[in-house]
Amino acid sequence: MPPFASGLLVLTAPLPALPRRAAGLVAAAAGLVAGPLYVHLQPGLRLGGPAAGPAAPPAGPALLRALAALYTAAAARRGLDLRVLLGPGRRLARQPRVLLAAAAEAPGPPEPVQLGLQRLAAAAYGCPPSLPAMLLGEDTAGGDPEGDPEQDPEAALPEFLDVAVGGTFDRLHGAHRLLLSACCLLARRRLLAGVADGELLRHKVLPELIEPYELRAAKLREFLEDVKPSLCYDIVPLADPFGPSVTDPDLQCLVVSEETHRGGEAVNKKRLENGLPELALYEIQLMKDPEHSQNEEEKISSSSLRQRLLGTLLQPPRRDPALALRPYVIGLTGGTGSGKTSMAKLLGQLGAFVIDADQLGHAVYAPGGPAYEPVVAAFGAEILNKDGTINRKVLGAKVFGNQEQLKRLTDIVWPKIAQMVKEKVREADAQGKAVCVLDAAVLLEAGWQDMVHEVWTAIIPEEEAVRRIVARDGLTEEAARRRLQSQMSNRQRVEQSQVVLCSLWEPEITRQQVHKAWDLLQQRLSPEPGP
């Protein structure tokens, strides 16, 4: 873990030189700062010379290229919260704990440079004058301190009073930050940021893992107000693809990417229909993800970040003193067609003791089983076959669509199954098994999460679940949808889960997720090394 919780890196070289040096600079700073890592760009500043006031970097194509290089370098350091500042003027949201500068940009004795860093940070961002200041070494192979002579240092970006941008802005990543930084450079007065919500999220990859609107909007505001505090920021939820961009008469520019350019054209068509002038469309190039894997997009995207969350711990495990620490019990749940059973088999192959709640459910109904007599007494002999076994289809017809009767049945059956699960856990303990997996579709509905340390949920988009149910069970699409709608939703399950898995992609991808989840579980269960 880096020693400092946050830091401010001051870079003073010409902007055209930064793209070639960004990776080395960010890597060196990331070794010291956990995040956020703020970056102050002030070309030509002599930190070891006479005191000089803070100034914003010149807004031009060279700055955009430098920003793209820095945010791309940060993307290779997963989890690094990089914020390149575009104008001083307020205290930062997270007070820096260390000040950094590139040693290559500050020749001579370190003491005057360190003093210059402290003065600059105090004047620009209200930092305490006693913050530690350090000089960074970097890998400068191939670097050019004089920059690229082909770039025009005098080139400037267009300016607009009011600028608009839209997006999901989930888990604010480098491509978002570049897009938003371009908006800040183009706007002189106001930035209107529309944040997709509601139905606009429905067809996103893994929508259940998208952060709540309130959290996304709060992170967006903190970033923007850190980066350029002089602007006014309107952050609004988007319930449709257009939002206020087609009704706001003050807007002059819409910032888009090559993916969303056609959407920008649709905005302008609507504005003309509404009697408003077209917006200038300013296009930002997509950023390539240097770390993307087989089933992820080549560009930096929130979808890829959400996919990387699969198999990881999303919230802390339950701490219940009444629950024995060994064997460690995983409750694996998921809707029909989610791939849960295949995942349970994979976990069994990795060494888990698998408890199949569905099998136990059949056992409790069998003659002599713990639920047999109570169920017959509650629902009558007409639910019996000629051989005395319970006809599950007849029983199902009695409770289907009748919540009172269904509750009457589950109040009998679920506690009996839970008791059998506890017996199986004791059996696993006697066999010396360290991990049990309770494979149970109704884990959460039955309240069995109290018997497990972690809930793992398998999810699948509804359309894919419908396709699988139709192919496997021979149901109509309508019947398959009714079955899914009678179950707990993916989002409801995810909210109560420690780990989420998804079988949407090839079986090998599912296998990799399960192995990743198992390996991380083993790390959690390993005793912490002593001092």
Side-chain angles (χ1 to χ4, degrees), residues 46-49 101-117 133-135:
R46 291 184 57 218
L47 287 169
E105 297 176 6
E111 290 80 7
V113 175
Q114 292 165 336
L115 181 59
L117 272 174
M134 305 172 66
L135 298 182

Side-chain angles (χ1 to χ4, degrees), residues 449-468:
Q449 62 266 45
D450 291 342
M451 296 192 295
V452 306
H453 298 88
E454 296 180 19
V455 174
W456 291 16
T457 289
I459 61 174
I460 198 76
E462 182 179 309
E463 292 304 316
E464 176 64 15
V466 168
R467 190 192 65 78
R468 292 181 183 183

Side-chain angles (χ1 to χ4, degrees), residues 14 85 119 123 193 209 219 269 293 295 323 397 414 421 449 464 491 513:
L85 305 171
R119 286 175 177 164
L209 296 180
K219 288 182 176 180
K269 184 178 177 183
S293 60
N295 61 313
L323 202 58
W414 284 349
V421 169
Q449 62 266 45
E464 176 64 15
R491 191 172 293 278
Q513 284 178 38

Side-chain angles (χ1 to χ4, degrees), residues 56 80 219 279 381 517 524:
L80 179 62
K219 288 182 176 180
L279 301 177
R524 295 197 288 280

Side-chain angles (χ1 to χ4, degrees), residues 319-334:
R319 298 296 181 198
D320 184 350
L323 202 58
L325 289 177
R326 189 182 173 96
Y328 197 84
V329 184
I330 301 297
L332 177 62
T333 190

Side-chain angles (χ1 to χ4, degrees), residues 186-471:
L186 296 170
R188 289 170 49 199
R189 181 174 65 187
R190 177 177 67 119
L191 174 60
L192 171 65
V195 181
D197 200 26
E199 278 298 302
L200 290 182
L201 305 181
R202 185 177 174 190
H203 297 294
K204 297 285 186 182
V205 175
L206 300 170
E208 302 85 358
L209 296 180
I210 294 176
E211 295 170 320
Y213 167 79
E214 293 76 14
L215 179 58
R216 286 180 286 137
K219 288 182 176 180
L220 185 59
R221 182 171 295 280
E222 181 179 296
F223 175 80
L224 289 169
E225 291 183 348
D226 264 347
V227 165
K228 193 171 181 183
S230 61
L231 292 179
C232 171
Y233 296 107
D234 286 344
I235 298 174
V236 298
L238 290 181
D240 63 73
F242 300 108
S245 67
V246 297
T247 57
D248 189 326
D250 295 328
L251 292 176
Q252 296 177 331
C253 174
L254 178 64
V255 180
V256 297
S257 70
E258 56 192 274
E259 278 188 343
T260 61
H261 196 103
R262 288 182 64 184
E265 292 171 350
V267 165
N268 276 336
K269 184 178 177 183
K270 284 275 189 184
R271 284 181 68 88
L272 290 175
E273 291 172 1
N274 292 338
L276 295 173
E278 289 185 312
L279 301 177
L281 299 182
Y282 190 90
E283 185 177 309
I284 293 293
Q285 299 229 334
L286 296 172
M287 286 175 59
K288 290 191 175 179
D289 186 348
E291 302 292 315
H292 77 91
S293 60
Q294 176 185 345
N295 61 313
E296 296 175 349
E297 297 180 275
E298 290 188 8
K299 65 170 186 172
I300 295 177
S301 74
S302 299
S303 299
S304 295
L305 295 183
R306 290 194 294 276
Q307 288 177 55
R308 291 170 195 169
L309 292 175
L310 296 172
T312 68
L313 192 67
L314 301 180
Q315 54 182 310
R318 294 181 62 247
R319 298 296 181 198
D320 184 350
L323 202 58
L325 289 177
R326 189 182 173 96
Y328 197 84
V329 184
I330 301 297
L332 177 62
T333 190
T336 304
S338 64
K340 168 182 63 66
T341 302
S342 298
M343 294 174 186
K345 288 178 182 176
L346 287 170
L347 290 166
Q349 293 167 10
L350 290 169
F353 184 97
V354 178
I355 303 169
D356 188 334
D358 193 47
Q359 285 185 0
L360 298 182
H362 284 286
V364 297
Y365 283 110
Y372 180 82
E373 290 187 6
V375 169
V376 173
F379 294 94
E382 63 265 29
I383 67 169
L384 296 177
N385 293 312
K386 290 181 180 179
D387 62 0
T389 58
I390 291 175
N391 187 318
R392 298 279 292 274
K393 286 188 176 180
V394 173
L395 177 59
K398 276 181 169 283
V399 302
F400 184 78
N402 187 324
Q403 289 300 314
E404 184 179 339
Q405 287 288 77
L406 179 61
K407 185 176 186 307
R408 189 179 179 198
L409 176 62
T410 57
D411 283 350
I412 296 170
V413 174
W414 284 349
K416 303 298 185 186
I417 298 176
Q419 191 56 45
M420 295 177 77
V421 169
K422 291 175 182 176
E423 292 170 6
K424 287 287 187 181
V425 171
R426 287 193 286 271
E427 180 185 329
D429 190 27
Q431 292 182 20
K433 290 287 188 176
V435 176
C436 281
V437 171
L438 171 56
D439 175 4
V442 296
L443 180 87
L444 299 173
E445 294 91 332
W448 295 341
Q449 62 266 45
D450 291 342
M451 296 192 295
V452 306
H453 298 88
E454 296 180 19
V455 174
W456 291 16
T457 289
I459 61 174
I460 198 76
E462 182 179 309
E463 292 304 316
E464 176 64 15
V466 168
R467 190 192 65 78
R468 292 181 183 183
I469 295 167
V470 169

